[in-house]
PDB file of all heavy atoms in Angstrom:
ATOM      1  N   LEU J   1      -1.564   3.761   0.714  1.00 97.00           N
ATOM      2  CA  LEU J   1      -2.436   2.595   0.740  1.00 97.00           C
ATOM      3  C   LEU J   1      -3.689   2.822  -0.104  1.00 97.00           C
ATOM      4  O   LEU J   1      -4.257   1.861  -0.634  1.00 97.00           O
ATOM      5  CB  LEU J   1      -2.826   2.257   2.184  1.00 97.00           C
ATOM      6  CG  LEU J   1      -1.771   1.554   3.040  1.00 97.00           C
ATOM      7  CD1 LEU J   1      -2.340   1.259   4.422  1.00 97.00           C
ATOM      8  CD2 LEU J   1      -1.262   0.279   2.388  1.00 97.00           C
ATOM      9  N   ASP J   2      -4.127   4.072  -0.212  1.00 97.00           N
ATOM     10  CA  ASP J   2      -5.279   4.357  -1.080  1.00 97.00           C
ATOM     11  C   ASP J   2      -4.972   3.944  -2.517  1.00 97.00           C
ATOM     12  O   ASP J   2      -5.800   3.309  -3.184  1.00 97.00           O
ATOM     13  CB  ASP J   2      -5.629   5.854  -1.032  1.00 97.00           C
ATOM     14  CG  ASP J   2      -6.287   6.260   0.271  1.00 97.00           C
ATOM     15  OD1 ASP J   2      -6.792   5.360   0.988  1.00 97.00           O
ATOM     16  OD2 ASP J   2      -6.295   7.464   0.587  1.00 97.00           O
ATOM     17  N   GLN J   3      -3.772   4.324  -2.993  1.00 98.00           N
ATOM     18  CA  GLN J   3      -3.357   3.927  -4.339  1.00 98.00           C
ATOM     19  C   GLN J   3      -3.291   2.408  -4.456  1.00 98.00           C
ATOM     20  O   GLN J   3      -3.732   1.820  -5.452  1.00 98.00           O
ATOM     21  CB  GLN J   3      -1.977   4.507  -4.644  1.00 98.00           C
ATOM     22  CG  GLN J   3      -1.949   5.684  -5.586  1.00 98.00           C
ATOM     23  CD  GLN J   3      -0.515   6.052  -5.924  1.00 98.00           C
ATOM     24  OE1 GLN J   3       0.289   6.363  -5.035  1.00 98.00           O
ATOM     25  NE2 GLN J   3      -0.198   6.021  -7.196  1.00 98.00           N
ATOM     26  N   ALA J   4      -2.705   1.787  -3.434  1.00 98.00           N
ATOM     27  CA  ALA J   4      -2.582   0.329  -3.458  1.00 98.00           C
ATOM     28  C   ALA J   4      -3.947  -0.328  -3.567  1.00 98.00           C
ATOM     29  O   ALA J   4      -4.148  -1.255  -4.365  1.00 98.00           O
ATOM     30  CB  ALA J   4      -1.851  -0.154  -2.208  1.00 98.00           C
ATOM     31  N   GLN J   5      -4.894   0.141  -2.793  1.00 98.00           N
ATOM     32  CA  GLN J   5      -6.228  -0.446  -2.817  1.00 98.00           C
ATOM     33  C   GLN J   5      -6.892  -0.258  -4.180  1.00 98.00           C
ATOM     34  O   GLN J   5      -7.617  -1.137  -4.664  1.00 98.00           O
ATOM     35  CB  GLN J   5      -7.100   0.160  -1.717  1.00 98.00           C
ATOM     36  CG  GLN J   5      -8.433  -0.551  -1.540  1.00 98.00           C
ATOM     37  CD  GLN J   5      -8.260  -2.007  -1.147  1.00 98.00           C
ATOM     38  OE1 GLN J   5      -7.646  -2.322  -0.135  1.00 98.00           O
ATOM     39  NE2 GLN J   5      -8.792  -2.921  -1.970  1.00 98.00           N
ATOM     40  N   GLU J   6      -6.637   0.874  -4.822  1.00 98.00           N
ATOM     41  CA  GLU J   6      -7.200   1.118  -6.150  1.00 98.00           C
ATOM     42  C   GLU J   6      -6.714   0.070  -7.151  1.00 98.00           C
ATOM     43  O   GLU J   6      -7.493  -0.423  -7.984  1.00 98.00           O
ATOM     44  CB  GLU J   6      -6.824   2.521  -6.626  1.00 98.00           C
ATOM     45  CG  GLU J   6      -7.555   3.645  -5.904  1.00 98.00           C
ATOM     46  CD  GLU J   6      -7.065   5.013  -6.323  1.00 98.00           C
ATOM     47  OE1 GLU J   6      -6.274   5.093  -7.295  1.00 98.00           O
ATOM     48  OE2 GLU J   6      -7.462   6.001  -5.688  1.00 98.00           O
ATOM     49  N   PHE J   7      -5.410  -0.260  -7.069  1.00 98.00           N
ATOM     50  CA  PHE J   7      -4.881  -1.281  -7.987  1.00 98.00           C
ATOM     51  C   PHE J   7      -5.485  -2.651  -7.700  1.00 98.00           C
ATOM     52  O   PHE J   7      -5.790  -3.414  -8.627  1.00 98.00           O
ATOM     53  CB  PHE J   7      -3.358  -1.340  -7.906  1.00 98.00           C
ATOM     54  CG  PHE J   7      -2.665  -0.214  -8.606  1.00 98.00           C
ATOM     55  CD1 PHE J   7      -1.894   0.699  -7.907  1.00 98.00           C
ATOM     56  CD2 PHE J   7      -2.788  -0.052  -9.967  1.00 98.00           C
ATOM     57  CE1 PHE J   7      -1.252   1.745  -8.549  1.00 98.00           C
ATOM     58  CE2 PHE J   7      -2.158   0.983 -10.640  1.00 98.00           C
ATOM     59  CZ  PHE J   7      -1.390   1.892  -9.919  1.00 98.00           C
ATOM     60  N   LEU J   8      -5.659  -2.981  -6.432  1.00 98.00           N
ATOM     61  CA  LEU J   8      -6.292  -4.252  -6.086  1.00 98.00           C
ATOM     62  C   LEU J   8      -7.736  -4.277  -6.578  1.00 98.00           C
ATOM     63  O   LEU J   8      -8.205  -5.292  -7.103  1.00 98.00           O
ATOM     64  CB  LEU J   8      -6.227  -4.478  -4.577  1.00 98.00           C
ATOM     65  CG  LEU J   8      -4.815  -4.652  -3.981  1.00 98.00           C
ATOM     66  CD1 LEU J   8      -4.884  -4.696  -2.462  1.00 98.00           C
ATOM     67  CD2 LEU J   8      -4.135  -5.907  -4.528  1.00 98.00           C
ATOM     68  N   ASP J   9      -8.414  -3.140  -6.440  1.00 97.00           N
ATOM     69  CA  ASP J   9      -9.799  -3.051  -6.903  1.00 97.00           C
ATOM     70  C   ASP J   9      -9.895  -3.178  -8.423  1.00 97.00           C
ATOM     71  O   ASP J   9     -10.939  -3.602  -8.952  1.00 97.00           O
ATOM     72  CB  ASP J   9     -10.426  -1.730  -6.457  1.00 97.00           C
ATOM     73  CG  ASP J   9     -10.643  -1.659  -4.948  1.00 97.00           C
ATOM     74  OD1 ASP J   9     -10.611  -2.714  -4.290  1.00 97.00           O
ATOM     75  OD2 ASP J   9     -10.826  -0.540  -4.430  1.00 97.00           O
ATOM     76  N   ARG J  10      -8.833  -2.804  -9.131  1.00 97.00           N
ATOM     77  CA  ARG J  10      -8.830  -2.887 -10.592  1.00 97.00           C
ATOM     78  C   ARG J  10      -8.415  -4.270 -11.090  1.00 97.00           C
ATOM     79  O   ARG J  10      -8.288  -4.483 -12.292  1.00 97.00           O
ATOM     80  CB  ARG J  10      -7.909  -1.816 -11.180  1.00 97.00           C
ATOM     81  CG  ARG J  10      -8.412  -0.393 -10.974  1.00 97.00           C
ATOM     82  CD  ARG J  10      -7.482   0.634 -11.598  1.00 97.00           C
ATOM     83  NE  ARG J  10      -7.510   0.581 -13.067  1.00 97.00           N
ATOM     84  CZ  ARG J  10      -6.739   1.355 -13.850  1.00 97.00           C
ATOM     85  NH1 ARG J  10      -5.888   2.217 -13.287  1.00 97.00           N
ATOM     86  NH2 ARG J  10      -6.818   1.266 -15.167  1.00 97.00           N
ATOM     87  N   GLY J  11      -8.202  -5.193 -10.180  1.00 97.00           N
ATOM     88  CA  GLY J  11      -7.990  -6.571 -10.584  1.00 97.00           C
ATOM     89  C   GLY J  11      -6.586  -7.111 -10.425  1.00 97.00           C
ATOM     90  O   GLY J  11      -6.361  -8.306 -10.661  1.00 97.00           O
ATOM     91  N   LEU J  12      -5.636  -6.249 -10.066  1.00 98.00           N
ATOM     92  CA  LEU J  12      -4.286  -6.768  -9.847  1.00 98.00           C
ATOM     93  C   LEU J  12      -4.249  -7.578  -8.556  1.00 98.00           C
ATOM     94  O   LEU J  12      -5.043  -7.363  -7.637  1.00 98.00           O
ATOM     95  CB  LEU J  12      -3.275  -5.629  -9.808  1.00 98.00           C
ATOM     96  CG  LEU J  12      -3.008  -4.981 -11.174  1.00 98.00           C
ATOM     97  CD1 LEU J  12      -2.121  -3.755 -11.033  1.00 98.00           C
ATOM     98  CD2 LEU J  12      -2.365  -5.976 -12.139  1.00 98.00           C
ATOM     99  N   ASP J  13      -3.301  -8.507  -8.487  1.00 98.00           N
ATOM    100  CA  ASP J  13      -3.226  -9.416  -7.351  1.00 98.00           C
ATOM    101  C   ASP J  13      -2.415  -8.858  -6.195  1.00 98.00           C
ATOM    102  O   ASP J  13      -2.582  -9.299  -5.053  1.00 98.00           O
ATOM    103  CB  ASP J  13      -2.602 -10.737  -7.795  1.00 98.00           C
ATOM    104  CG  ASP J  13      -3.359 -11.363  -8.947  1.00 98.00           C
ATOM    105  OD1 ASP J  13      -4.499 -11.817  -8.729  1.00 98.00           O
ATOM    106  OD2 ASP J  13      -2.818 -11.379 -10.067  1.00 98.00           O
ATOM    107  N   GLY J  14      -1.512  -7.915  -6.493  1.00 98.00           N
ATOM    108  CA  GLY J  14      -0.658  -7.387  -5.450  1.00 98.00           C
ATOM    109  C   GLY J  14      -0.109  -6.031  -5.819  1.00 98.00           C
ATOM    110  O   GLY J  14      -0.162  -5.601  -6.981  1.00 98.00           O
ATOM    111  N   VAL J  15       0.419  -5.366  -4.815  1.00 98.00           N
ATOM    112  CA  VAL J  15       1.047  -4.055  -4.982  1.00 98.00           C
ATOM    113  C   VAL J  15       2.366  -4.085  -4.232  1.00 98.00           C
ATOM    114  O   VAL J  15       2.421  -4.509  -3.063  1.00 98.00           O
ATOM    115  CB  VAL J  15       0.153  -2.925  -4.443  1.00 98.00           C
ATOM    116  CG1 VAL J  15       0.848  -1.582  -4.572  1.00 98.00           C
ATOM    117  CG2 VAL J  15      -1.186  -2.904  -5.168  1.00 98.00           C
ATOM    118  N   MET J  16       3.421  -3.657  -4.895  1.00 98.00           N
ATOM    119  CA  MET J  16       4.744  -3.571  -4.279  1.00 98.00           C
ATOM    120  C   MET J  16       5.120  -2.098  -4.147  1.00 98.00           C
ATOM    121  O   MET J  16       5.102  -1.353  -5.127  1.00 98.00           O
ATOM    122  CB  MET J  16       5.785  -4.314  -5.131  1.00 98.00           C
ATOM    123  CG  MET J  16       7.204  -4.205  -4.617  1.00 98.00           C
ATOM    124  SD  MET J  16       8.390  -5.122  -5.657  1.00 98.00           S
ATOM    125  CE  MET J  16       8.156  -6.793  -5.008  1.00 98.00           C
ATOM    126  N   ILE J  17       5.432  -1.676  -2.922  1.00 98.00           N
ATOM    127  CA  ILE J  17       5.756  -0.285  -2.647  1.00 98.00           C
ATOM    128  C   ILE J  17       7.213  -0.190  -2.219  1.00 98.00           C
ATOM    129  O   ILE J  17       7.671  -0.976  -1.391  1.00 98.00           O
ATOM    130  CB  ILE J  17       4.833   0.303  -1.564  1.00 98.00           C
ATOM    131  CG1 ILE J  17       3.364   0.175  -1.991  1.00 98.00           C
ATOM    132  CG2 ILE J  17       5.186   1.763  -1.299  1.00 98.00           C
ATOM    133  CD1 ILE J  17       2.374   0.760  -1.005  1.00 98.00           C
ATOM    134  N   GLY J  18       7.930   0.761  -2.784  1.00 97.00           N
ATOM    135  CA  GLY J  18       9.347   0.918  -2.491  1.00 97.00           C
ATOM    136  C   GLY J  18       9.645   2.097  -1.601  1.00 97.00           C
ATOM    137  O   GLY J  18       9.524   2.028  -0.379  1.00 97.00           O
ATOM    138  N   ARG J  19      10.019   3.218  -2.202  1.00 96.00           N
ATOM    139  CA  ARG J  19      10.541   4.349  -1.429  1.00 96.00           C
ATOM    140  C   ARG J  19       9.570   4.891  -0.390  1.00 96.00           C
ATOM    141  O   ARG J  19       9.981   5.274   0.706  1.00 96.00           O
ATOM    142  CB  ARG J  19      10.984   5.458  -2.390  1.00 96.00           C
ATOM    143  CG  ARG J  19      12.312   5.164  -3.074  1.00 96.00           C
ATOM    144  CD  ARG J  19      12.600   6.155  -4.177  1.00 96.00           C
ATOM    145  NE  ARG J  19      11.699   5.977  -5.315  1.00 96.00           N
ATOM    146  CZ  ARG J  19      11.590   6.835  -6.308  1.00 96.00           C
ATOM    147  NH1 ARG J  19      12.283   7.956  -6.298  1.00 96.00           N
ATOM    148  NH2 ARG J  19      10.771   6.580  -7.319  1.00 96.00           N
ATOM    149  N   ALA J  20       8.281   4.916  -0.705  1.00 97.00           N
ATOM    150  CA  ALA J  20       7.320   5.432   0.270  1.00 97.00           C
ATOM    151  C   ALA J  20       7.295   4.563   1.523  1.00 97.00           C
ATOM    152  O   ALA J  20       7.156   5.069   2.644  1.00 97.00           O
ATOM    153  CB  ALA J  20       5.930   5.522  -0.341  1.00 97.00           C
ATOM    154  N   ALA J  21       7.435   3.252   1.347  1.00 98.00           N
ATOM    155  CA  ALA J  21       7.446   2.348   2.497  1.00 98.00           C
ATOM    156  C   ALA J  21       8.695   2.543   3.342  1.00 98.00           C
ATOM    157  O   ALA J  21       8.694   2.243   4.542  1.00 98.00           O
ATOM    158  CB  ALA J  21       7.347   0.905   2.035  1.00 98.00           C
ATOM    159  N   TYR J  22       9.752   3.036   2.717  1.00 98.00           N
ATOM    160  CA  TYR J  22      10.985   3.269   3.459  1.00 98.00           C
ATOM    161  C   TYR J  22      10.985   4.637   4.134  1.00 98.00           C
ATOM    162  O   TYR J  22      11.303   4.760   5.322  1.00 98.00           O
ATOM    163  CB  TYR J  22      12.202   3.149   2.539  1.00 98.00           C
ATOM    164  CG  TYR J  22      13.505   3.238   3.301  1.00 98.00           C
ATOM    165  CD1 TYR J  22      14.046   2.100   3.907  1.00 98.00           C
ATOM    166  CD2 TYR J  22      14.184   4.446   3.443  1.00 98.00           C
ATOM    167  CE1 TYR J  22      15.230   2.166   4.623  1.00 98.00           C
ATOM    168  CE2 TYR J  22      15.363   4.523   4.161  1.00 98.00           C
ATOM    169  CZ  TYR J  22      15.881   3.380   4.756  1.00 98.00           C
ATOM    170  OH  TYR J  22      17.046   3.462   5.493  1.00 98.00           O
ATOM    171  N   HIS J  23      10.649   5.684   3.374  1.00 97.00           N
ATOM    172  CA  HIS J  23      10.759   7.040   3.909  1.00 97.00           C
ATOM    173  C   HIS J  23       9.622   7.403   4.854  1.00 97.00           C
ATOM    174  O   HIS J  23       9.806   8.200   5.775  1.00 97.00           O
ATOM    175  CB  HIS J  23      10.817   8.046   2.760  1.00 97.00           C
ATOM    176  CG  HIS J  23      12.092   7.993   1.982  1.00 97.00           C
ATOM    177  ND1 HIS J  23      13.330   8.149   2.569  1.00 97.00           N
ATOM    178  CD2 HIS J  23      12.330   7.790   0.661  1.00 97.00           C
ATOM    179  CE1 HIS J  23      14.278   8.054   1.645  1.00 97.00           C
ATOM    180  NE2 HIS J  23      13.696   7.821   0.485  1.00 97.00           N
ATOM    181  N   THR J  24       8.435   6.846   4.628  1.00 97.00           N
ATOM    182  CA  THR J  24       7.291   7.097   5.512  1.00 97.00           C
ATOM    183  C   THR J  24       6.647   5.764   5.871  1.00 97.00           C
ATOM    184  O   THR J  24       5.492   5.498   5.527  1.00 97.00           O
ATOM    185  CB  THR J  24       6.263   8.030   4.848  1.00 97.00           C
ATOM    186  OG1 THR J  24       5.860   7.471   3.580  1.00 97.00           O
ATOM    187  CG2 THR J  24       6.845   9.410   4.610  1.00 97.00           C
ATOM    188  N   PRO J  25       7.379   4.909   6.580  1.00 98.00           N
ATOM    189  CA  PRO J  25       6.904   3.541   6.802  1.00 98.00           C
ATOM    190  C   PRO J  25       5.592   3.457   7.570  1.00 98.00           C
ATOM    191  O   PRO J  25       4.769   2.583   7.298  1.00 98.00           O
ATOM    192  CB  PRO J  25       8.054   2.888   7.569  1.00 98.00           C
ATOM    193  CG  PRO J  25       8.785   4.020   8.217  1.00 98.00           C
ATOM    194  CD  PRO J  25       8.677   5.148   7.236  1.00 98.00           C
ATOM    195  N   CYS J  26       5.396   4.366   8.514  1.00 97.00           N
ATOM    196  CA  CYS J  26       4.168   4.288   9.306  1.00 97.00           C
ATOM    197  C   CYS J  26       2.944   4.573   8.451  1.00 97.00           C
ATOM    198  O   CYS J  26       1.880   3.970   8.655  1.00 97.00           O
ATOM    199  CB  CYS J  26       4.243   5.263  10.485  1.00 97.00           C
ATOM    200  SG  CYS J  26       5.523   4.815  11.676  1.00 97.00           S
ATOM    201  N   ASP J  27       3.066   5.480   7.490  1.00 96.00           N
ATOM    202  CA  ASP J  27       1.933   5.799   6.622  1.00 96.00           C
ATOM    203  C   ASP J  27       1.514   4.606   5.786  1.00 96.00           C
ATOM    204  O   ASP J  27       0.326   4.442   5.464  1.00 96.00           O
ATOM    205  CB  ASP J  27       2.296   6.964   5.683  1.00 96.00           C
ATOM    206  CG  ASP J  27       2.451   8.287   6.413  1.00 96.00           C
ATOM    207  OD1 ASP J  27       2.080   8.353   7.607  1.00 96.00           O
ATOM    208  OD2 ASP J  27       2.945   9.243   5.794  1.00 96.00           O
ATOM    209  N   ILE J  28       2.468   3.774   5.427  1.00 97.00           N
ATOM    210  CA  ILE J  28       2.165   2.621   4.570  1.00 97.00           C
ATOM    211  C   ILE J  28       1.835   1.382   5.397  1.00 97.00           C
ATOM    212  O   ILE J  28       0.847   0.684   5.126  1.00 97.00           O
ATOM    213  CB  ILE J  28       3.357   2.312   3.639  1.00 97.00           C
ATOM    214  CG1 ILE J  28       3.694   3.527   2.766  1.00 97.00           C
ATOM    215  CG2 ILE J  28       3.077   1.081   2.790  1.00 97.00           C
ATOM    216  CD1 ILE J  28       2.600   3.946   1.815  1.00 97.00           C
ATOM    217  N   LEU J  29       2.634   1.091   6.400  1.00 98.00           N
ATOM    218  CA  LEU J  29       2.597  -0.226   7.022  1.00 98.00           C
ATOM    219  C   LEU J  29       1.733  -0.332   8.272  1.00 98.00           C
ATOM    220  O   LEU J  29       1.221  -1.417   8.571  1.00 98.00           O
ATOM    221  CB  LEU J  29       4.022  -0.694   7.333  1.00 98.00           C
ATOM    222  CG  LEU J  29       4.896  -0.917   6.091  1.00 98.00           C
ATOM    223  CD1 LEU J  29       6.338  -1.197   6.480  1.00 98.00           C
ATOM    224  CD2 LEU J  29       4.344  -2.049   5.236  1.00 98.00           C
ATOM    225  N   LEU J  30       1.553   0.742   9.022  1.00 97.00           N
ATOM    226  CA  LEU J  30       0.788   0.617  10.265  1.00 97.00           C
ATOM    227  C   LEU J  30      -0.677   0.274  10.009  1.00 97.00           C
ATOM    228  O   LEU J  30      -1.312  -0.397  10.826  1.00 97.00           O
ATOM    229  CB  LEU J  30       0.892   1.896  11.091  1.00 97.00           C
ATOM    230  CG  LEU J  30       2.200   2.104  11.861  1.00 97.00           C
ATOM    231  CD1 LEU J  30       2.148   3.399  12.653  1.00 97.00           C
ATOM    232  CD2 LEU J  30       2.496   0.927  12.789  1.00 97.00           C
ATOM    233  N   ASP J  31      -1.232   0.728   8.898  1.00 96.00           N
ATOM    234  CA  ASP J  31      -2.630   0.426   8.575  1.00 96.00           C
ATOM    235  C   ASP J  31      -2.779  -0.706   7.574  1.00 96.00           C
ATOM    236  O   ASP J  31      -3.903  -1.061   7.201  1.00 96.00           O
ATOM    237  CB  ASP J  31      -3.308   1.676   8.009  1.00 96.00           C
ATOM    238  CG  ASP J  31      -3.489   2.764   9.055  1.00 96.00           C
ATOM    239  OD1 ASP J  31      -3.593   2.412  10.253  1.00 96.00           O
ATOM    240  OD2 ASP J  31      -3.522   3.951   8.693  1.00 96.00           O
ATOM    241  N   ALA J  32      -1.665  -1.262   7.123  1.00 98.00           N
ATOM    242  CA  ALA J  32      -1.732  -2.275   6.059  1.00 98.00           C
ATOM    243  C   ALA J  32      -2.486  -3.526   6.497  1.00 98.00           C
ATOM    244  O   ALA J  32      -3.281  -4.085   5.735  1.00 98.00           O
ATOM    245  CB  ALA J  32      -0.326  -2.638   5.600  1.00 98.00           C
ATOM    246  N   ASP J  33      -2.256  -3.987   7.717  1.00 97.00           N
ATOM    247  CA  ASP J  33      -2.896  -5.223   8.142  1.00 97.00           C
ATOM    248  C   ASP J  33      -4.416  -5.087   8.156  1.00 97.00           C
ATOM    249  O   ASP J  33      -5.140  -5.994   7.730  1.00 97.00           O
ATOM    250  CB  ASP J  33      -2.384  -5.633   9.526  1.00 97.00           C
ATOM    251  CG  ASP J  33      -0.963  -6.161   9.485  1.00 97.00           C
ATOM    252  OD1 ASP J  33      -0.401  -6.273   8.379  1.00 97.00           O
ATOM    253  OD2 ASP J  33      -0.406  -6.457  10.552  1.00 97.00           O
ATOM    254  N   ALA J  34      -4.911  -3.951   8.639  1.00 97.00           N
ATOM    255  CA  ALA J  34      -6.355  -3.747   8.694  1.00 97.00           C
ATOM    256  C   ALA J  34      -6.945  -3.546   7.301  1.00 97.00           C
ATOM    257  O   ALA J  34      -7.952  -4.163   6.942  1.00 97.00           O
ATOM    258  CB  ALA J  34      -6.679  -2.552   9.584  1.00 97.00           C
ATOM    259  N   ARG J  35      -6.293  -2.732   6.483  1.00 96.00           N
ATOM    260  CA  ARG J  35      -6.883  -2.343   5.206  1.00 96.00           C
ATOM    261  C   ARG J  35      -6.674  -3.365   4.097  1.00 96.00           C
ATOM    262  O   ARG J  35      -7.540  -3.537   3.234  1.00 96.00           O
ATOM    263  CB  ARG J  35      -6.320  -0.985   4.777  1.00 96.00           C
ATOM    264  CG  ARG J  35      -6.719   0.145   5.716  1.00 96.00           C
ATOM    265  CD  ARG J  35      -6.319   1.493   5.172  1.00 96.00           C
ATOM    266  NE  ARG J  35      -6.897   1.750   3.864  1.00 96.00           N
ATOM    267  CZ  ARG J  35      -6.645   2.839   3.140  1.00 96.00           C
ATOM    268  NH1 ARG J  35      -5.833   3.770   3.622  1.00 96.00           N
ATOM    269  NH2 ARG J  35      -7.192   2.995   1.950  1.00 96.00           N
ATOM    270  N   ILE J  36      -5.535  -4.019   4.092  1.00 97.00           N
ATOM    271  CA  ILE J  36      -5.222  -4.956   3.005  1.00 97.00           C
ATOM    272  C   ILE J  36      -5.547  -6.394   3.385  1.00 97.00           C
ATOM    273  O   ILE J  36      -5.971  -7.185   2.538  1.00 97.00           O
ATOM    274  CB  ILE J  36      -3.744  -4.840   2.597  1.00 97.00           C
ATOM    275  CG1 ILE J  36      -3.388  -3.394   2.226  1.00 97.00           C
ATOM    276  CG2 ILE J  36      -3.412  -5.802   1.459  1.00 97.00           C
ATOM    277  CD1 ILE J  36      -4.142  -2.850   1.027  1.00 97.00           C
ATOM    278  N   TYR J  37      -5.382  -6.729   4.673  1.00 97.00           N
ATOM    279  CA  TYR J  37      -5.515  -8.127   5.088  1.00 97.00           C
ATOM    280  C   TYR J  37      -6.700  -8.395   6.018  1.00 97.00           C
ATOM    281  O   TYR J  37      -6.920  -9.543   6.407  1.00 97.00           O
ATOM    282  CB  TYR J  37      -4.220  -8.590   5.766  1.00 97.00           C
ATOM    283  CG  TYR J  37      -3.001  -8.449   4.892  1.00 97.00           C
ATOM    284  CD1 TYR J  37      -2.134  -7.360   5.035  1.00 97.00           C
ATOM    285  CD2 TYR J  37      -2.715  -9.388   3.909  1.00 97.00           C
ATOM    286  CE1 TYR J  37      -1.015  -7.217   4.224  1.00 97.00           C
ATOM    287  CE2 TYR J  37      -1.598  -9.255   3.094  1.00 97.00           C
ATOM    288  CZ  TYR J  37      -0.763  -8.167   3.263  1.00 97.00           C
ATOM    289  OH  TYR J  37       0.352  -8.028   2.453  1.00 97.00           O
TER     290      TYR J  37
END
């Protein structure tokens, strides 16, 4: 999510995550609502 936030901060509208969201879903998704939304 740190990487994702960096891309959003650099002006991109969204970030799509693949394998990391699958293999370590809690690391990506459990904090996503608070940090991204």
Side-chain angles (χ1 to χ4, degrees):
L1 283 182
D2 287 342
Q3 255 187 301
Q5 189 61 58
E6 288 175 9
F7 284 116
L8 295 173
D9 291 343
R10 293 181 69 183
L12 288 173
D13 304 291
V15 178
M16 176 179 278
I17 303 182
R19 284 170 290 169
Y22 186 84
H23 290 304
T24 55
C26 294
D27 291 349
I28 302 297
L29 295 172
L30 283 181
D31 291 333
D33 287 356
R35 295 188 58 183
I36 305 297
Y37 302 99

